[in-house]
């Protein structure tokens, strides 16, 4: 034990999750990464110098509970939780598979609720003034027809963030969300490789570039810090101006 506060990032093996962990570590947290990718999370934890890399499927309620049991037994309760793990599973609306819809909701929304609840229970029991940041999306506000479950889940995350912030305010636990726009990660690799798709993406992005994973990580770290001590229940959209734009060209 180092005496530093503990932060847990789900979906931490790569991309936005790893960038969040980097930013939080620079702010003085001991990091724990969780991911469904066993090899990836082990490698990421070693590269970052995290105290642990844990395999966890955020669709599995029992696995989420076991993850927190493991963390608390070895390190004590977390001071900061970043619910970053998520999946999209695109498909045509008229033929969208119900099992796919349920899987996306289970990972992106139910898993967020279970992790928030479990982390908050331990924070309250230990008297920790904690911080929770959930990963929403601009698709909580604007929709894409090919990702119905993803859009529904991220809208749910936005509302669940508000609910948790109100419920936990009396315990000095702040709950916020971040809504990324077009971010240069593996999820956007297809757009990067397609000039027409990139042109369309840039037509709706006033800053005329994709964001970086670290730009999301820095906002997450801010929301976990004392600099955001009077911020709770908010979703901060990091989207290069996209939500303010009422036309494309």
């Amino acid at each position: 034990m180092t005496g530093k506060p503990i932060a847990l990032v789900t979906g931490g093996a790569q991309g936005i999750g790893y960038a969040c962990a980097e930013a939080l570590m620079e702010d003085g947290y001991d990091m724990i990464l969780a991911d469904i990718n066993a090899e990836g999370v082990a490698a990421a934890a070693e590269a970052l110098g995290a105290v642990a890399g844990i395999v966890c499927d955020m669709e599995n309620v029992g696995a989420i509970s076991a993850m927190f049991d493991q963390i608390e037994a070895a390190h004590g309760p977390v001071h900061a939780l970043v619910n970053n793990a998520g999946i999209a599973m695109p498909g045509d609306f008229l033929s969208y598979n119900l099992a796919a819809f349920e899987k996306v909701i289970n990972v992106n929304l139910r898993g967020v609720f279970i992790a928030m609840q479990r982390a908050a229970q331990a924070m309250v029991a230990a008297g920790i003034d904690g911080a929770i940041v959930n990963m929403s999306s601009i698709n909580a506000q604007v929709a894409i027809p090919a990702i119905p479950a993803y859009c529904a889940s991220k809208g749910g995350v936005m509302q669940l963030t508000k609910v948790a912030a109100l419920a936990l305010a009396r315990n000095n636990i702040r709950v916020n969300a971040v809504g990324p726009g077009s971010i240069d990660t593996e999820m956007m690799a297809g757009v990067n490789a397609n000039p027409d798709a990139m042109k369309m993406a840039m037509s709706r992005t006033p800053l005329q570039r994709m964001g970086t994973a670290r730009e999301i990580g820095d906002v997450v770290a801010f929301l976990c810090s004392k600099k955001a001590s009077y911020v709770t229940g908010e979703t901060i959209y990091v989207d290069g101006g996209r939500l303010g734009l009422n036309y494309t060209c």
Side-chain angles (χ1 to χ4, degrees):
M1 299 294 291
T2 65
K4 295 180 181 180
I6 296 288
L8 167 64
V9 178
T10 69
Q14 61 185 6
I16 288 174
Y18 188 83
C20 291
E22 282 186 315
L24 286 166
M25 178 169 276
E26 290 173 12
D27 274 2
Y29 284 93
D30 272 343
M31 293 307 309
I32 296 175
L33 306 181
D35 203 283
I36 196 171
N37 179 347
E39 291 184 5
V41 75
E46 182 177 0
L48 187 65
V51 297
I54 299 174
V55 179
C56 184
D57 178 358
M58 294 300 291
E59 188 182 12
N60 186 322
V61 174
I64 297 170
S65 181
M67 172 178 66
F68 280 98
D69 288 344
Q70 179 182 342
I71 291 168
E72 289 159 15
H75 308 286
V78 301
H79 292 71
L81 166 65
V82 181
N83 273 312
N84 170 71
I87 56 176
M89 299 187 74
D92 180 75
F93 182 85
L94 291 176
S95 59
Y96 200 83
N97 182 272
L98 180 59
F101 191 93
E102 290 175 341
K103 184 177 182 68
V104 173
I105 295 296
N106 288 345
V107 174
N108 293 8
L109 185 57
R110 187 184 69 181
V112 167
F113 170 72
I114 297 299
M116 278 203 298
Q117 184 185 62
R118 185 64 177 76
Q121 288 169 346
M123 290 174 183
V124 170
I128 292 171
D129 294 350
I132 298 172
V133 180
N134 301 318
M135 201 59 64
S136 184
S137 168
I138 56 167
N139 294 124
Q141 297 279 359
V142 295
I144 295 175
I147 48 172
Y150 183 84
C151 292
S153 71
K154 295 305 185 179
V157 167
M158 178 183 67
Q159 283 295 92
L160 189 57
T161 296
K162 294 178 182 179
V163 170
L166 296 175
L168 299 173
R170 64 180 180 271
N171 302 110
N172 292 318
I173 298 170
R174 296 180 301 101
V175 186
N176 292 289
V178 173
S182 297
I183 307 300
D184 191 9
T185 63
E186 285 193 7
M187 190 176 286
M188 292 294 292
V191 174
N192 282 338
N194 185 329
D196 289 336
M198 177 63 78
K199 182 178 179 180
M200 183 180 70
M202 291 303 97
S203 77
R204 65 193 186 199
T205 307
L207 285 184
Q208 289 293 293
R209 65 173 178 85
M210 285 191 178
T212 67
R214 183 53 191 258
E215 286 174 314
I216 304 300
D218 285 340
V219 176
V220 168
F222 162 72
L223 290 171
C224 289
S225 76
K226 295 186 185 304
K227 293 178 181 178
S229 58
Y230 202 53
V231 181
T232 196
E234 299 294 332
T235 298
I236 309 299
Y237 292 100
V238 187
D239 65 355
R242 177 174 172 183
L243 288 182
L245 183 67
N246 66 355
Y247 65 90
T248 59
C249 57

